[in-house]
Amino acid sequence: MYQQHLLPFAGSLGWSALIAAMPIITLLLLLGVFRTRAWVATFSGLSVSLAIALFVYTMPVGQTALAASQGVAFALFPLAWTFTTAIWIYQMTVDSGHFQVQWRALVRITDDRRIQALLIAFCFGSLLEALAGQGTPVAITTVMLLAVGFSPFRAASTALVANTVPAAFGPLGLPITTLAKVTGLPVDDLGSMAGRQVPVIALFVPLLLVGIVDGRRGLGERWWPALACGLAFALAQFVASNYVSMPLADIAAALAGAGAVIVTARIKVTSPASVPVIAGGAVDLPPPAFTERQRPPHDRTAALRAFAPYLIIVMTFTLSQLPPVKRALEFATVAIDWPGLHLRTASGAPSTLSVFKLNWLSAPGSLLLVSGLLTMMVLRIHPRAACSAYVRTLGQLREAVLCVTGLLGLSFVMNASGQAATLGTWMSGAGPFFAVLAPVLGWLGVALTGSDTSSNSLFGALQATAAQNTGLSPVLVTAANASGGVIGKMISLQNLTIAAGAAGLTGREGDLFRKMLGWSALLLIGMCLLVGLQSTTLLSWMVP
C-alpha cells in the first residue's frame, strides 16, 4: 500500500511543486521549443515522472510500474480504440470513392470555407462531443474539412479550436456528473454554474474560427454568421444547463448554432463574401467558387449514401443513450481494481485511481465499430477491403497510438504518486486569489489527460477543499475546473495527436501545439478573469 506525499522534498511545498512540475516542463520544452516528435516528448516526460515518483516521492518500484501500466491500458482502451476506429470509417469512404461525393454535396450547400468551418467543425463537432467525446469529434471533423478542400494543417487547427466549449457538458453531461461524484456537491448547481461560465467563451469561438480560416478579411465579411452562431450556441447552452437538462446542453447548443449559421449566412450585411484563398502553412486545395452552371453534378441518392457514415454514427450514439439500450450496454461494463495497485491519498483514504472501467460494449470505439460495420453494408464494401483499410489505418496511426500511450502513462504516474496533488495544493495556497487560478488547474488537467472528465476526477475534490479553506464558493471554484478544462482541449497532446493522425500530419504535433498555445492562453485569461469577477460582489449574482 502506497500513501501519497504532498511535501516529499525538504518539507517544502514550493520546492516539491517545482519538482512535481518537471515532467510537464520537460514535455512542453521538447514539444514546443526543441520540436521533437510527439512520442519522444511524451516518453521523455514519462521517464522524468517515473524518476521523480521513485526517488523523490519514494513510491515503490512495483506500484510505480503498475500505475504506468494502467495508463498504458487506458490509452489503448478506450482512447486508441476510439480514434483508430473513427479514422477507419473515413478511410473506407476514401477507398470507395464516396469522399469525392461528400465534397460535391458540401460544395452545393456553401463553397465558403468560413461557413463550412462553423457548420462542420463547430456545430457538427459539438454534436459529436455531446454524444461520443474521447477524440471522436476531432478525428471526424478533421477528415470532413479535408473533404471540402481545407489543407491538412488548417483542417486540424480548425477542428482543435472548435472542440473546446462543448467539452464541459459532453458526452451527455459526464464531466459534470463526475465532478459532482468526486466532490459531493449537487450536480444541478455545478451544471448551472458551468452554464454561466462556458457560454461566455462560446460567444467568441466562432469568431476565432473565422479568423483562423481567413484572417481579418474573413472577420470583415463573415462576422455576422459567426456572431449569430456564438450567440445561439451560448444561449441554448445556458438555458439547457440551467433550466432544462444539463446532459442535453451540447445537443441543444449544436442544433441552435447550426440553425443560426444557415439562416444568417444568407443575409448580406457587408459586401458579398468571396471564397477565401488561404495562404500560410499550406495551400488549401480546390474547390474554387462555383456558379450554378458550373456546380458539380449532384445525385441526391449518391450524396445520402456518401454521408451515411456520419448519419449512422449520430444515430448509433443517440440510440445508445436511450435508457433501455444504455442499461443493456452498461450491463457488460466491468470495474476492475488494477491488480497489485494499492494506493491511498495523502489524507490516508483509499484512492479510486486504481479502478479501471472496462466498458467494452458502451465505449465510443465499440459503438464506432458498429457504425463501421453498418457503413460497410450501406457503402457495399467487401469485408476484405474493410479489413485492409483497418490494417492501413493502424499503420498510419502507429506513432499516434505510441504518443497517447506515453502521455497516459505520464498522467497516471503523476496522479498515483501525488505529483499532481502537490501541484494543486501549491496553487490553492493563493488564498482568495485562488478563484482566478482555479480554471488553470482544469486547463492543466485537460492538457495532460485530454479529457474534461479525467481532469474533474483529478482536481475536483482538491478544488472543493481549497475553496472551503479560502472562503470561496465551492460550487463556483469547482465548476471553474470544468470550465477552464474546455480551453485545454485545443493543446491537449491527446487531441493534437488525433488531429495530426487524421490529417496525415503525424510528426508535426509540435507545430500544431505552437499554433494553438497562443489562442488557448488568451481564452484561459478570459476565463480566469470571469471566474475571478464571479468571486467578487461585482458578478457574485451569477453564482447559484
Side-chain angles (χ1 to χ4, degrees):
M1 181 71 70
Y2 169 72
Q3 183 167 338
Q4 296 175 345
H5 310 294
L6 294 181
L7 310 176
F9 187 79
S12 168
L13 180 59
W15 283 109
S16 298
L18 179 61
I19 293 174
M22 291 309 297
I24 302 172
I25 294 172
T26 300
L27 181 66
L28 296 181
L29 284 176
L30 290 176
L31 191 65
V33 178
F34 296 101
R35 303 190 179 189
T36 61
R37 300 183 79 86
W39 71 270
V40 174
T42 56
F43 275 91
S44 298
L46 172 59
S47 300
V48 174
S49 180
L50 289 169
I52 292 172
L54 290 170
F55 301 113
V56 179
Y57 284 79
T58 62
M59 190 176 187
V61 175
Q63 297 294 297
T64 306
L66 286 169
S69 68
Q70 187 185 4
V72 170
F74 186 80
L76 297 176
F77 184 94
L79 296 182
W81 173 232
T82 297
F83 68 77
T84 54
T85 309
I87 296 173
W88 166 62
I89 295 174
Y90 154 72
Q91 189 63 53
M92 286 194 294
T93 68
V94 174
D95 293 347
S96 61
H98 289 85
F99 186 82
Q100 292 298 322
V101 181
Q102 293 173 13
W103 169 75
R104 291 199 299 267
L106 288 169
V107 167
R108 286 188 64 87
I109 296 173
T110 175
D111 49 17
D112 190 322
R113 291 186 190 146
R114 298 157 297 192
I115 303 302
Q116 292 166 346
L118 295 176
L119 288 174
I120 296 172
F122 189 66
C123 298
F124 185 62
S126 295
L127 183 61
L128 289 175
E129 181 69 33
L131 296 171
Q134 294 190 352
T136 305
V138 173
I140 291 177
T141 58
T142 296
V143 297
M144 289 183 73
L145 292 173
L146 291 174
V148 297
F150 277 63
S151 69
F153 193 85
R154 200 171 300 277
S157 300
T158 304
L160 285 167
V161 172
N163 186 230
T164 49
V165 289
F169 299 103
L172 291 169
L174 181 60
I176 301 299
T177 55
T178 300
L179 194 59
K181 181 179 179 181
V182 300
T183 61
L185 295 171
V187 65
D188 291 338
D189 288 349
L190 290 173
S192 296
M193 189 68 250
R196 303 176 192 194
Q197 295 169 341
V198 177
V200 176
I201 299 298
L203 289 170
F204 300 98
V205 171
L207 291 167
L208 177 57
L209 285 172
V210 170
I212 288 174
V213 172
D214 196 29
R216 291 185 179 179
R217 182 182 67 170
L219 287 172
E221 294 178 348
R222 285 307 196 186
W223 65 270
W224 173 240
L227 181 61
C229 178
L231 285 170
F233 188 99
L235 182 61
Q237 197 177 53
F238 165 74
V239 171
S241 60
N242 279 268
Y243 304 111
V244 183
S245 172
M246 181 270 295
L248 299 179
D250 281 344
I251 295 176
L255 296 176
V261 173
I262 292 171
V263 171
T264 57
R266 302 178 182 276
I267 301 175
K268 293 182 173 59
V269 294
T270 58
S271 59
S274 56
V275 178
V277 179
I278 306 165
V283 178
D284 283 331
L285 305 173
F290 289 102
T291 66
E292 283 301 319
R293 286 188 176 183
Q294 293 173 326
R295 288 184 183 277
H298 181 64
D299 182 336
R300 290 187 178 181
T301 302
L304 182 60
R305 179 179 293 173
F307 280 100
Y310 307 119
L311 298 175
I312 290 170
I313 289 170
V314 171
M315 291 176 61
T316 302
F317 279 95
T318 301
L319 290 173
S320 72
Q321 298 303 321
L322 296 177
V325 179
K326 187 174 183 178
R327 284 194 297 268
L329 294 174
E330 289 293 347
F331 182 76
T333 297
V334 180
I336 303 170
D337 287 322
W338 198 251
L341 184 60
H342 306 295
L343 304 173
R344 290 189 183 275
T345 64
S347 64
S351 173
T352 59
L353 292 174
S354 59
V355 177
F356 183 83
K357 187 178 179 182
L358 186 63
N359 55 334
W360 61 281
L361 278 183
S362 61
S366 302
L367 296 175
L368 283 169
L369 177 62
V370 173
S371 301
L373 295 175
L374 293 174
T375 295
M376 288 170 53
M377 291 186 285
V378 173
L379 300 187
R380 300 172 184 173
I381 297 174
H382 194 277
R384 183 179 299 173
C387 292
S388 175
Y390 205 103
V391 171
R392 291 200 313 275
T393 300
L394 289 176
Q396 294 166 2
L397 297 177
R398 58 184 180 276
E399 283 196 20
V401 174
L402 192 62
C403 176
V404 172
T405 299
L407 177 65
L408 268 295
L410 163 65
S411 174
F412 273 64
V413 170
M414 288 191 67
N415 293 346
S417 64
Q419 295 170 51
T422 297
L423 285 171
T425 304
W426 174 72
M427 293 182 67
S428 69
F433 187 70
F434 181 69
V436 178
L437 298 178
V440 179
L441 271 179
W443 176 82
L444 179 62
V446 174
L448 286 173
T449 66
S451 165
D452 210 25
T453 302
S454 299
S455 176
N456 289 344
S457 299
L458 176 61
F459 290 130
L462 186 149
Q463 296 267 29
T465 302
Q468 293 171 348
N469 294 339
T470 55
L472 296 166
S473 165
V475 170
L476 168 65
V477 173
T478 307
N481 194 85
S483 302
V486 304
I487 303 167
K489 289 283 280 187
M490 70 173 75
I491 62 163
S492 156
L493 195 52
Q494 174 188 311
N495 268 12
L496 289 171
T497 303
I498 292 171
L505 296 173
T506 300
R508 294 191 60 189
E509 293 87 354
D511 294 336
L512 284 172
F513 172 77
R514 286 185 294 275
K515 176 79 171 178
M516 297 294 102
L517 183 59
W519 295 118
S520 183
L522 182 63
L523 292 176
L524 178 63
I525 291 171
M527 180 60 74
C528 289
L529 291 175
L530 173 63
V531 175
L533 290 174
Q534 288 175 334
S535 70
T536 68
T537 55
L538 188 63
L539 293 182
S540 59
W541 53 270
M542 296 181 69
V543 181

